[in-house]
Amino acid sequence: MTEEIEFILDSTEESMSGSIEHLEKAFLNIRAGKASPAMLGSVFVDYYGSASPLSQVSKISTPDARTITLQPFEKNMLHPIEKAIMVANLGFNPMNNGDMIIISVPPLTEDRRRELAKQAKSEAEDAKISVRNARKDANTDIKKLEKEGTSEDICKSAEEEVQNLTNSFIKKIDELLAVKEAEIMKV
């Protein structure tokens, strides 16, 4: 195969791997019953005019499976952190005791589990779309090379390789989704 085709295949695989990484991060934000600092990964706090991740303005810990505690590095950040958690709409009700913020993670109801499973499916579908877009871009690049004089056989085998990559990444997304759904639905 030519260098250009190798480059197209490598960049396509890299793009598809990025989709998987993004999906794994998105799945971390979908809670499955047990308290985890990752649940607050999407929360940003207004820290002196700039949006900062919660982990940069406070110490986040989980003393037990149903509690998350946040110890702000500065006392005056208690209220902005509390407000940011409410605005993030994660279904948490933070309690401020003057020193730290305590979040009780409620057990998931059946409806909430279904809702989270639906959210996980949506994230997986977005990842599949991203993988398919990478396939489309690669095939477009391969067709350009064919018009520029690369042999038809080489281009056909490259397109087959791109399709094989796509199939393997779609399969991996389905496997990740199945694991996440099982985790969510487990009582």
Side-chain angles (χ1 to χ4, degrees):
M1 270 195 239
T2 66
E3 259 183 54
E4 293 100 341
I5 288 184
E6 285 293 327
F7 176 76
I8 290 169
L9 291 174
D10 288 346
S11 63
T12 301
E13 186 170 4
E14 195 175 308
S15 173
M16 291 178 178
S17 294
S19 300
I20 296 283
E21 286 171 24
H22 179 79
L23 178 65
E24 288 171 338
K25 285 179 186 164
F27 278 175
L28 282 178
N29 289 333
I30 300 174
R31 70 185 185 97
K34 190 173 166 229
S36 159
M39 293 174 168
L40 301 172
S42 62
V43 179
F44 285 84
V45 182
D46 180 27
Y47 186 67
Y48 298 109
S50 68
S52 301
L54 197 54
S55 59
Q56 290 183 2
V57 295
S58 67
K59 178 180 169 252
I60 305 171
S61 58
T62 51
D64 61 54
R66 293 263 175 245
T67 312
I68 301 173
T69 59
L70 295 110
Q71 180 75 49
F73 298 135
E74 297 176 30
K75 269 262 207 277
N76 64 339
M77 290 304 295
L78 276 169
H79 186 68
I81 290 173
E82 195 174 8
K83 185 177 173 196
I85 293 168
M86 296 291 259
V87 168
N89 196 17
L90 297 170
F92 295 140
N93 191 11
M95 294 178 294
N96 179 345
N97 70 3
D99 259 346
M100 63 172 51
I101 294 171
I102 301 165
I103 300 172
S104 284
V105 179
L108 294 173
T109 63
E110 188 64 29
D111 287 344
R112 183 72 178 140
R113 285 180 197 282
R114 284 197 190 101
E115 203 177 293
L116 290 173
K118 199 180 288 185
Q119 186 181 346
K121 270 188 185 131
S122 169
E123 291 289 350
E125 196 52 46
D126 290 347
K128 285 181 183 180
I129 289 169
S130 176
V131 166
R132 289 182 192 121
N133 285 339
R135 173 185 63 190
K136 186 181 96 182
D137 294 344
N139 285 338
T140 302
D141 291 344
I142 290 169
K143 284 191 185 359
K144 278 184 195 165
L145 287 177
E146 192 174 348
K147 284 180 184 167
E148 291 170 6
T150 306
S151 92
E152 195 177 318
D153 289 344
I154 291 175
C155 291
K156 279 284 178 227
S157 70
E159 285 177 357
E160 286 172 15
E161 184 64 33
V162 168
Q163 186 57 48
N164 291 340
L165 272 175
T166 303
N167 292 344
S168 70
F169 278 96
I170 295 283
K171 186 176 180 224
K172 183 156 176 59
I173 290 169
D174 287 336
E175 289 167 359
L176 288 170
L177 177 61
V179 167
K180 188 63 179 180
E181 280 183 325
E183 185 183 314
I184 291 169
M185 297 312 281
K186 191 174 92 180
V187 179

